[in-house]
Amino acid sequence: MNISYIILIPLIPLAAFLLLGIFNKQIKPAVSGYIGVAGLSASAILSFYTAYQYFFVSGKVEGVYQTFVEKTVWLNFTETLHIDMGILIDPISVMMLVVVSIVSLMVHIYSRGYMKGDDGYTKFFAFLGLFSFSMFGLVLATNLFQIYIFWELVGVSSYLLIGYYYTKPSAVSAAKKAFIVTRFADLGFLVGILIIGYYTGTYDFETLNNPEGNAILNWASTSFMGLSAITWALILIFIGGAGKSAMFPLHIWLPDAMEGPTPVSALIHAATMVVAGVYLVARLFPMYYFVDDGFALNIVAYVGGFSSLFAAIIAITQTDIKRVLAFSTMSQLGYMMMALGVSGYDGHEGVGYMASMFHLFTHAMFKALLFLGAGSVIHAVHSNYLKDMGGLRKYMPITNITFLIAALAISGVPPFAGFYSKDEILVAAFQHNKLLYAVGLFVAGLTAFYMFRIYFGIFWGKDNKYEHIPHESPLSMTFPLLVLAFLSITAGFIPFSELITADKAGFEAHLNYPLAITAVSVGLIGITLAWIFYKKENDLADKFATSFGVFYKWTYDKFYFDEIYLFITKKIIFNLIAAPIAKFDKKIVDGTMEGIGNKTVVISKRIKGMQSGKVQDYAFSFIAGVVILAIVFIYLWTN
């Protein structure tokens, strides 16, 4: 398979970024929007062509999907340890090309309407181009260091986009928070990469993931505290992925990141940046599965399961619709991590891996649709809060029906896409870990409840008397909604089990009807409860919230994790650790150095008279010295 043209997929958005960034003042806003859309359209067409060629023409050989690599050595350390730059094509990288290109293209088209009239319109499209380039580079990476380079570029891009409204203090604070939290996580990622390189002698994904290779067969060669060094490395790498994917307890940046423009929320928090952590674990899945009997993979499963439950509980109480969707994203990413954690490797045993990638794909479509739908609503009523909404179905019919489709999809209602992918995750959990299955089933009910809570709150509920009558968004915004709604309906019919599996061989999946009926029933119960509480204006929700007392307040305040982090950083790290160290540095270290300097100056002033520049003074000193030495020698000689 010829893959040389694939390098154009990331380079086209990079060219758009450079063009729009360098000529920011010269290019008219309308033109910059067309440049951004044209660039992503080209990348999307190439991505679709790549997917077609790989999955249906030349990617499969003797029943197994092949890995194609083109790379060049960038930095050489030893014969085996080097950093390459190139592109790697296999089932999950091709799938991610399609995901990133679809969502990014829809966001570009949508932004033409949403950002119209904004002073930084051209700059915004430049940042979108940089982000798309970074994500394409990340999914095509051939080795750990290359993925780390683009990983950090994605972090920079998200910083620029979250803090786009740089005159708004809350946006600046949110951008810094996202950047700093993910930096701490990425430190773990970097240390893990260095350990992998030291003990395996390679960063290359093909070599690391080979079940018959040295990296996996010799994992037990070095141990530390009862675990192999490679297991520790995999745990550290997962910490990097947990930071990017907002897993507990590194989730605190995600809700604040909603301060960016809504298209940014759709791009970063629906399908691209936040799924990078899931993609990272999937990229190294053979290592996670085979090393130390999957010890690190168990950590992935339980962190994912807890994160999905934790975020779903918080989402129920939030009143800012974008923050509800942010916690929903965290919950669904937890689902994906949990599915990877309970997966096997060969054949149907690998249903968890397949389900995780399947849910990543379907979730990208309906969560991007939810965010863009929320943006359409915010664009109409100029508020993020449910209290300012209600009865909008009469004014915004397209947004209403597309948002409903997305809500049904994420709630797992058949035949929408989310039903198929979520069902496979629950099947995998049921087969391998009944506790995580119970958590997943409960979260499915919570998801349906909080999604229809905001759906009814926005489009039904109270009939608000709007000061300015809302109206449907322009075609540039509704067209992406319709495309994503179509994909949210149809994506579930893709035969994912035949295309993307851990062993690349594929298998035939069937619906597990008892589990599917149970999951759908739980989802319908959640929808029914939301119907009762929120379809018509009433005080049932307030009474119910009051009955939970302090637990409701804790949930509404996100279990005070922001306050805990602030206490740890400001009160403990800054005041009790950093401040004494700074004082020691200033008083002792600086004081010692300054004291030596000051004493040198004082002594210099006192002895500078010895260098008067007068010959008679030097002659006197010379003769005096000779006389003193003569006296000393005579004394010593005579005695």
Side-chain angles (χ1 to χ4, degrees):
M1 179 178 173
N2 176 28
I3 64 170
S4 56
Y5 69 90
I6 294 173
I7 192 66
L8 293 173
I9 295 175
L11 290 183
I12 293 171
L14 176 62
F17 160 68
L18 294 173
L19 179 63
L20 297 177
I22 294 170
F23 300 104
N24 177 35
K25 301 296 183 183
Q26 289 76 26
I27 298 175
K28 292 180 180 179
V31 176
S32 64
Y34 283 115
I35 291 172
V37 171
L40 255 294
S41 297
S43 291
I45 290 168
L46 290 174
S47 297
F48 300 150
Y49 177 75
T50 301
Y52 172 74
Q53 286 291 319
Y54 183 80
F55 286 121
F56 305 112
V57 179
S58 54
K60 204 168 192 177
V61 178
E62 295 179 357
V64 177
Y65 282 106
Q66 303 299 298
T67 299
F68 300 95
V69 178
E70 277 192 10
K71 59 186 178 182
T72 183
V73 175
W74 183 43
L75 289 176
N76 222 336
F77 301 119
T78 68
E79 287 184 8
T80 58
L81 189 63
H82 43 78
I83 300 175
D84 303 329
M85 297 299 285
I87 53 176
L88 182 151
I89 294 298
D90 70 348
I92 59 170
S93 64
V94 175
M95 182 269 294
M96 283 296 291
L97 283 179
V98 173
V99 167
V100 175
S101 59
I102 290 175
V103 175
S104 190
L105 177 59
M106 292 302 107
V107 167
H108 272 75
I109 296 171
Y110 183 92
S111 298
R112 288 188 60 250
Y114 190 88
M115 301 300 291
K116 188 176 182 180
D118 190 272
D119 292 338
Y121 189 92
T122 302
K123 179 181 69 174
F124 182 78
F125 276 93
F127 290 165
L128 288 183
L130 177 63
F131 183 88
S132 301
F133 160 70
S134 305
M135 273 307 302
F136 282 131
L138 188 153
V139 302
L140 291 170
T142 65
N143 61 83
L144 274 170
F145 247 107
Q146 186 183 348
I147 206 172
Y148 183 75
I149 292 167
F150 285 99
W151 189 273
E152 295 305 323
L153 265 176
V154 166
V156 171
S157 308
S158 65
Y159 172 80
L160 294 172
L161 287 167
I162 293 167
Y164 174 75
Y165 296 126
Y166 59 88
T167 57
K168 190 177 173 185
S170 57
V172 174
S173 176
K176 289 191 291 185
K177 188 176 183 180
F179 194 76
I180 292 167
V181 171
T182 52
R183 288 298 65 69
F184 276 102
D186 293 349
L187 175 63
F189 186 11
L190 179 60
V191 174
I193 290 172
L194 297 176
I195 293 173
I196 289 281
Y198 183 81
Y199 286 104
T200 67
T202 183
Y203 298 123
D204 188 72
F205 285 135
E206 276 191 292
T207 308
L208 291 172
N209 287 330
N210 182 4
E212 305 299 322
N214 288 331
I216 289 177
L217 292 180
N218 298 326
W219 61 264
S221 58
T222 308
S223 62
F224 174 71
M225 293 178 64
L227 294 174
S228 71
I230 302 299
T231 299
W232 283 111
L234 292 173
I235 293 170
L236 288 167
I237 289 171
F238 172 63
I239 289 173
K244 215 61 134 193
S245 291
M247 292 291 96
F248 178 88
L250 298 169
H251 64 280
I252 59 167
W253 66 269
L254 189 66
D256 293 69
M258 297 299 107
E259 292 292 339
T262 301
V264 171
S265 303
L267 184 65
I268 293 178
H269 310 114
T272 49
M273 175 180 142
V274 290
V275 299
V278 178
Y279 178 77
L280 180 65
V281 175
R283 171 55 69 208
L284 289 171
F285 184 77
M287 292 195 79
Y288 275 96
Y289 181 75
F290 288 110
V291 171
D292 237 340
D293 298 322
F295 182 89
L297 202 58
N298 280 326
I299 293 176
V300 172
Y302 283 104
V303 169
F306 181 80
S307 297
S308 68
L309 177 61
F310 179 81
I313 291 171
I314 293 175
I316 290 173
T317 61
Q318 301 305 299
T319 56
D320 180 334
I321 61 172
K322 285 178 68 176
R323 277 177 166 73
V324 173
L325 296 178
F327 281 108
S328 172
T329 300
M330 175 184 168
S331 182
Q332 297 303 303
L333 291 168
Y335 250 109
M336 297 173 209
M337 288 290 194
M338 182 179 77
L340 285 172
V342 298
S343 181
Y345 185 76
D346 294 311
H348 197 275
E349 284 295 305
V351 67
Y353 178 95
M354 182 277 294
S356 177
M357 296 298 98
F358 195 6
H359 199 57
L360 188 159
F361 187 88
T362 60
H363 173 264
M365 305 309 155
F366 54 71
K367 186 52 67 68
L369 176 55
L370 287 167
F371 269 113
L372 295 183
S376 182
V377 170
I378 293 165
H379 191 261
V381 301
H382 307 290
S383 173
N384 290 20
Y385 292 93
L386 283 170
K387 64 182 176 61
D388 300 319
M389 301 169 189
L392 285 174
R393 70 190 185 283
K394 295 178 292 187
Y395 307 103
M396 309 179 72
I398 297 175
T399 304
N400 171 40
I401 192 67
T402 53
F403 199 95
L404 175 60
I405 288 169
L408 289 167
I410 196 172
S411 301
V413 176
F416 298 93
F419 162 72
Y420 295 97
S421 55
K422 188 177 287 189
D423 178 70
E424 297 291 1
I425 290 176
L426 293 175
V427 167
F430 185 81
Q431 290 176 352
H432 293 89
N433 190 314
K434 297 296 190 294
L435 173 62
L436 290 177
Y437 167 74
V439 168
L441 190 62
F442 183 52
V443 169
L446 294 178
T447 303
F449 177 77
Y450 68 66
M451 280 313 311
F452 276 86
R453 169 179 172 259
I454 65 168
Y455 170 71
F456 290 131
I458 295 169
F459 297 102
W460 296 78
K462 62 181 178 181
D463 193 0
N464 259 342
K465 303 300 180 187
Y466 296 100
E467 185 178 342
H468 301 287
I469 297 175
H471 57 83
E472 187 59 89
S473 299
L475 182 62
S476 59
M477 294 170 65
T478 54
F479 174 74
L481 298 182
L482 294 169
V483 172
L484 290 168
F486 173 76
L487 292 170
S488 297
I489 297 169
T490 59
F493 298 107
I494 297 172
F496 244 72
S497 64
E498 298 172 17
L499 303 175
I500 298 173
T501 56
D503 60 2
K504 297 184 173 69
F507 60 87
E508 192 172 341
H510 300 284
L511 271 178
N512 185 316
Y513 284 100
L515 295 183
I517 291 169
T518 304
V520 171
S521 300
V522 170
L524 291 175
I525 290 169
I527 294 172
T528 304
L529 287 173
W531 175 288
I532 295 168
F533 279 89
Y534 300 105
K535 186 173 183 291
K536 291 183 179 179
E537 190 175 10
N538 59 66
D539 60 354
L540 280 175
D542 294 332
K543 288 180 179 177
F544 203 73
T546 304
S547 69
F548 273 90
V550 69
F551 182 74
Y552 176 84
K553 180 169 172 51
W554 276 51
T555 307
Y556 180 77
D557 291 323
K558 298 165 283 193
F559 293 97
Y560 299 101
F561 265 85
D562 285 290
E563 289 76 8
I564 292 169
Y565 272 95
L566 282 174
F567 176 78
I568 292 171
T569 52
K570 286 191 172 183
K571 300 293 184 183
I572 297 177
I573 296 176
F574 291 174
N575 291 348
L576 299 183
I577 299 174
I581 290 173
K583 192 172 183 179
F584 176 82
D585 181 62
K586 188 173 180 62
K587 298 292 184 183
I588 307 299
V589 178
D590 287 357
T592 302
M593 294 300 103
E594 289 171 2
I596 293 170
N598 291 336
K599 288 298 179 185
T600 303
V601 171
V602 171
I603 294 169
S604 298
K605 285 181 178 177
R606 290 184 178 179
I607 66 173
K608 68 181 181 180
M610 296 173 63
Q611 297 288 333
S612 65
K614 297 177 181 179
V615 175
Q616 57 268 35
D617 289 345
Y618 297 154
F620 173 77
S621 298
F622 176 75
I623 293 169
V626 170
V627 170
I628 291 169
L629 287 173
I631 291 171
V632 170
F633 282 123
I634 291 170
Y635 176 78
L636 293 173
W637 180 267
T638 55
N639 289 284

